[in-house]
Amino acid sequence: MLLRLYGWLTWLAQPLLRRKLARRAVAEPGYGAHVPERFGHYTQPPSSGWVWVHAVSLGETRAAAVLIAALRERLPGMRLLLTHGTATGRAEGARLLREGDLQVWQPWDTPGATRRFLAQFQPRVGILMETEIWPWLIESCRRAGVPLVLANARLSEKSLQGAQRVPLLPPAYAALVAAYAQTEDDAARLRSAGAPVAGVFGNLKFDATPDPAQQARGRQWRAAAGKPVALFASSREDEEAALLALLQADPAAAAAVQWLIVPRHPQRFDAVAELVRAHGFAVARRSGWGDAPPAGAGAVWLGDSLGEMALYYGLADLALLGGSFEPLGGQNLIEAAACGCPVLMGPHTFNFAEAAELAEQAGAALRVEDLAQAVQTVQRLAADPVARQRASDASFAFAAAHRGTAARTATAIVEQVQR
C-alpha cells in the first residue's frame, strides 16, 4: 500500500520535475536534452542483454569507470547501458562509451517509467552505484527478474537513521540481490537497513588512474608558479566566502601561496568569480589561461573546467577538502591521494569517514578544526618543503595500498550474470 501511494505521489510530481529540469537547463543545457527518457520514452527500438550501470552524478560516474573497465575484461563483447541523473554525470559518462554502448537518463521513479525502461532494455544485470536506492526502480527489477546489485556501497549513520524512519526503504534495500560495501562500518549499517551485504570490497575510487598527461602538465605549471599552490578542491557554497574573508583580512596568508579554487558545481563558476572580485582579489579563470596560468602575483586562480581534477591536483602542493568545512560530509579525498596531493580536511567528513581516518593515520591528510586553522597550516607548510614532500609520498603510498576493489567487485557481478 505504501509503495502504491509513493508511486502515485511520484507520478503526480512529474510536472514539477519537468519545470525543475527546464529551470536547470538555463544554466546547464544538458538538463534540457532527451527529457522524454526521464519518463521511460525512447526513440530506439527495444533491445536486450545489456549490462546496466547507474551512476547518478559525476563522482559515481568516475567510480563506475574503473568497474566498467574491469567488467569489460571479464565479459568480452559486453554492451553497456549507462544511466545518470545529472548533466555532469552524463557528460562524464559519455567518455566511457564504446561502439554498441548506450547512454540514457535514469527513469523517474514511477511504476510506469521504470517498467517501460526495463521493457525497453531488458538488462542482464543492474548495478546501482554507492547510495542509489529508488523503491519503484528496485521493485520493478524484482518483478522483471533483473538481478540488481549496489556496488561501491556506502551508508552514513545519518542516512541509516533516515532510512529506518522511512518504511519504504528497508524493503527496497532487502530486494537487492547483493550489496558490496566499501567498509566494514558501511556493511554493518547496510545490514541494519535491510541490505543483503555480500562482500566488503573497498572503494572503487582507489583503482582510478588519474590522467597522467594532466598530472604532468599540472606539475610543470606548479614548477613555474614561483610559490607553493594551495587548492580548495570541490569547494561548496559558503566555504569560498569564508576562505576569501580570511585572506582579505590577512594579506600575508593571501600572499604566502598561490590560491586556486575549484568549485564542486559548475553552475557556480560565475558566482564564485564574482565572489573573488567582491573580496578585493583579481581572478584568473582556467578557461582563459591558454597554455599556462597567468604570471604575476595577486590573482586567485579559478578552476572553471570539467574533467581536469588530475591537472588541478598535479598543480597543487596541497589541497583543502571541499564540503568538510561546512556540515556537508566532505568530498572524496582519494583522487587527491592518487595524485600525491596531501589534504587538509575540516571537521565534517562523515560521507567518507573511514577513508578520511585512514588517510589521516597514513599521513596523507591532516585534520584541522576550521578554515582559519587550515589557512594557518597552509602558511606553515608553504615554508616547509620537506614536510610537503613527506606528505606527498604518504599520499601516493596510501592510495596504492588500497587498490583492488574493481577486480573483486567485477568478479562478484559476473557471478550474478552467469547464474
Side-chain angles (χ1 to χ4, degrees), residues 42-224:
Y42 308 95
T43 57
Q44 58 268 69
S47 53
S48 63
W50 300 91
V51 171
W52 162 39
V53 177
H54 175 57
V56 63
S57 193
L58 184 63
E60 292 85 356
T61 304
R62 288 175 175 166
V66 292
L67 177 57
I68 289 166
L71 287 169
R72 291 193 196 278
E73 291 178 2
R74 291 159 176 78
L75 296 170
M78 179 186 97
R79 290 195 305 153
L80 171 67
L81 172 65
L82 192 55
T83 60
H84 310 277
T86 70
T88 52
R90 186 158 180 159
E92 181 75 10
R95 307 180 187 195
L96 307 180
L97 303 180
R98 295 184 180 179
E99 185 177 356
D101 293 342
L102 189 60
Q103 187 181 40
V104 298
W105 290 117
Q106 168 197 2
W108 184 235
D109 205 33
T110 63
T114 56
R115 185 176 61 249
R116 288 190 294 272
F117 169 80
L118 294 171
Q120 174 78 21
F121 299 112
Q122 302 169 48
R124 300 162 67 186
V125 65
I127 304 159
L128 307 177
M129 297 299 298
E130 300 199 4
T131 61
E132 287 295 285
I133 299 296
W134 295 93
W136 261 112
L137 184 60
I138 294 172
E139 173 62 15
S140 294
C141 285
R142 187 190 67 79
R143 294 182 182 186
V146 175
L148 192 61
V149 305
L150 187 65
N152 214 39
R154 58 185 175 88
L155 188 67
S156 69
E157 185 62 36
K158 181 179 179 181
S159 296
L160 170 61
Q161 293 172 8
Q164 291 174 331
R165 288 194 296 267
V166 179
L168 282 172
L169 291 180
Y173 276 105
L176 298 166
V177 300
Y180 309 123
Q182 293 185 16
T183 70
E184 291 290 351
D185 287 343
D186 287 315
R189 289 188 288 265
L190 286 160
R191 290 189 186 99
S192 295
V197 176
V200 180
F201 293 157
N203 193 323
L204 284 166
K205 292 176 183 177
F206 280 111
D207 286 353
T209 302
D211 187 309
Q214 287 190 18
Q215 290 184 81
R217 191 180 195 189
R219 292 188 188 112
Q220 180 183 11
W221 287 351
R222 187 206 310 172

